[in-house]
């Protein structure tokens, strides 16, 4: 556990973080040895693991044996787009989440008892769906039946580009388990407005996702840079001190999920990569 604004919170290794492990068991063991408390798990990874490496029950046993848990489920993409547009790939090999996939997320939630599930808007548009608030409320209501929170993640190339738009949706939906996923990458590459972070009430922060990066984009394609050029916390140029100060000003404390998608990180051994992520996180978190 780590000290997050005066409260002990789990440190999560996000599902998409590149540490080069070759199996679920190895990822769990490497993460635990490095000092992580929990993992993030995507639906695609869950399906791949349970279809080949081990059963869901065995996954739970491996987690328990290492004092770990799955705390984060990733992610409902395009949560409010028309059902006819789901199942269609977009940049980076991602796919808008079909409604039927939600049943599998709820199955995962019942098995692993995670803290939250992330949700994302629609890419390459600034037009918010007319029922975006109602759809978010409905997603929260479904999540409540399995006891988890929803973290609405803002991304600068989606129709939920910043914390202000995300907070407006969450507040109008007015569900107790609805909140924001605040990612330092999307804050910095997006609005980079600390006042928007300061405006988020403590109970509306589901998770803080942490990463670092160069001051100027390493690639002009936002999604490509996002998937390849993030840095270990403390190794880049982001104003993480200002980022945390703005979030913590209201008294916010939430789990921290380390999400570093990095070609250079994947060149390290899994053990060295995981240790660097933990030490980097500890170095940037305010004491």
């Amino acid at each position: 556990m780590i000290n997050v604004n005066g409260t002990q919170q789990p440190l999560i290794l996000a599902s998409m973080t590149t540490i080069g492990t070759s199996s679920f068991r190895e990822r769990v063991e490497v993460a635990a040895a490095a000092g992580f408390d929990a993992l993030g798990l995507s639906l695609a990874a869950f399906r791949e693991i349970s279809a080949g490496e081990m059963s869901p029950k065995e996954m739970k046993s491996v987690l328990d044996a290492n004092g770990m848990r799955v705390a984060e489920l990733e992610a409902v993409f395009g949560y409010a787009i028309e059902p006819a547009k789901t199942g269609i790939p977009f940049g980076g090999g991602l796919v808008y989440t079909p409604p039927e996939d939600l049943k599998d997320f709820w199955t995962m939630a019942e098995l692993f008892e995670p803290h939250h599930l992330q949700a994302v808007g629609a890419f390459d548009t600034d037009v918010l769906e007319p029922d975006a608030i109602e759809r978010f409320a409905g997603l929260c209501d479904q999540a409540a039946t399995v006891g988890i929170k929803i973290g609405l993640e803002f991304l600068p190339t989606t129709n939920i580009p910043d914390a202000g738009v995300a907070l407006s949706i969450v507040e109008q939906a007015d569900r107790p388990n609805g909140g924001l996923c605040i990612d330092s990458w999307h804050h910095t590459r997006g609005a980079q407005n600390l006042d928007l972070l300061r405006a988020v009430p403590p109970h509306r922060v589901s998770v803080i996702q942490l990463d670092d990066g160069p001051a100027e984009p390493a690639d002009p394609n936002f999604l490509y840079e996002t998937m390849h050029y993030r840095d270990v916390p403390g190794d880049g140029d982001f104003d993480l001190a200002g980022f945390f100060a703005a979030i913590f000003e209201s008294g916010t404390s939430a789990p921290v999920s380390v999400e570093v998608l990095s070609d250079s990180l994947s060149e390290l051994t899994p053990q060295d990569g995981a240790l660097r992520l933990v030490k980097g996180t500890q170095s940037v978190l305010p004491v």
Side-chain angles (χ1 to χ4, degrees):
M1 304 290 280
I2 54 173
N3 185 333
V4 182
N5 206 19
T7 302
Q8 292 296 297
Q9 296 283 358
L11 180 62
I12 305 167
L13 177 64
S15 179
M16 296 182 76
T17 295
T18 47
I19 61 167
T21 49
S22 60
S23 67
F24 179 76
R25 183 184 299 277
E26 184 186 14
R27 192 172 183 88
V28 172
E29 292 174 348
V30 166
F36 284 98
D37 305 293
L39 296 179
L41 187 63
S42 70
L43 179 56
F46 173 73
R47 286 172 170 168
E48 182 179 353
I49 295 161
S50 57
E53 183 183 349
M54 62 180 66
S55 70
K57 185 176 180 180
E58 289 171 323
M59 293 171 67
K60 185 68 165 57
S61 295
V62 169
L63 289 163
D64 291 344
N66 286 276
M68 295 280 283
R69 59 181 289 224
V70 170
E72 178 173 76
L73 302 183
E74 304 179 47
V76 178
F77 292 102
Y79 81 91
I81 67 170
E82 300 173 19
K85 296 181 179 179
T86 62
I88 300 173
F90 56 97
L94 302 174
V95 176
Y96 286 129
T97 304
E100 57 268 22
D101 279 6
L102 290 178
K103 295 179 182 178
D104 288 338
F105 276 122
W106 309 143
T107 297
M108 292 171 68
E110 290 175 341
L111 175 65
F112 296 117
E113 300 181 343
H115 178 265
H116 62 273
L117 164 66
Q118 291 173 239
V120 180
F123 284 74
D124 300 322
T125 178
D126 57 4
V127 179
L128 201 62
E129 297 86 354
D131 60 348
I133 295 167
E134 292 79 6
R135 293 281 294 278
F136 184 76
L139 184 61
C140 288
D141 290 343
Q142 291 185 66
T145 66
V146 290
I148 64 173
K149 297 182 178 184
I150 297 293
L152 183 59
E153 184 172 12
F154 57 89
L155 284 81
T157 57
T158 70
N159 56 359
I160 306 174
D162 57 47
V165 176
L167 181 61
S168 176
I169 293 170
V170 169
E171 293 279 52
Q172 291 182 77
D174 195 24
R175 294 300 191 268
N177 63 329
L180 273 64
C181 167
I182 300 179
D183 188 320
S184 55
W185 180 269
H186 301 313
H187 159 74
T188 305
R189 286 291 184 258
Q192 204 168 353
N193 185 334
L194 293 175
D195 287 337
L196 294 179
L197 303 186
R198 294 187 184 99
V200 182
H203 69 286
R204 291 303 188 193
V205 181
S206 298
V207 60
I208 300 166
Q209 285 203 319
L210 183 60
D211 32 51
D212 209 333
E216 297 298 326
D219 190 279
N221 183 301
F222 167 77
L223 196 54
Y224 186 85
E225 190 203 18
T226 296
M227 303 289 283
H228 294 271
Y229 286 104
R230 302 194 201 194
D231 286 330
V232 171
D235 285 358
D237 303 315
F238 287 2
D239 178 20
L240 295 179
F243 173 79
F244 280 117
I247 297 173
F248 290 170
E249 188 173 296
S250 64
T252 293
S253 181
V256 172
S257 175
V258 185
E259 187 176 54
V260 179
L261 291 73
S262 164
D263 291 349
S264 60
L265 182 64
S266 67
E267 294 174 359
L268 302 177
T269 67
Q271 293 79 7
D272 288 346
L275 280 171
R276 281 192 60 189
L277 291 167
V278 170
K279 290 180 179 179
T281 299
Q282 293 169 336
S283 75
V284 301
L285 272 173
V287 178

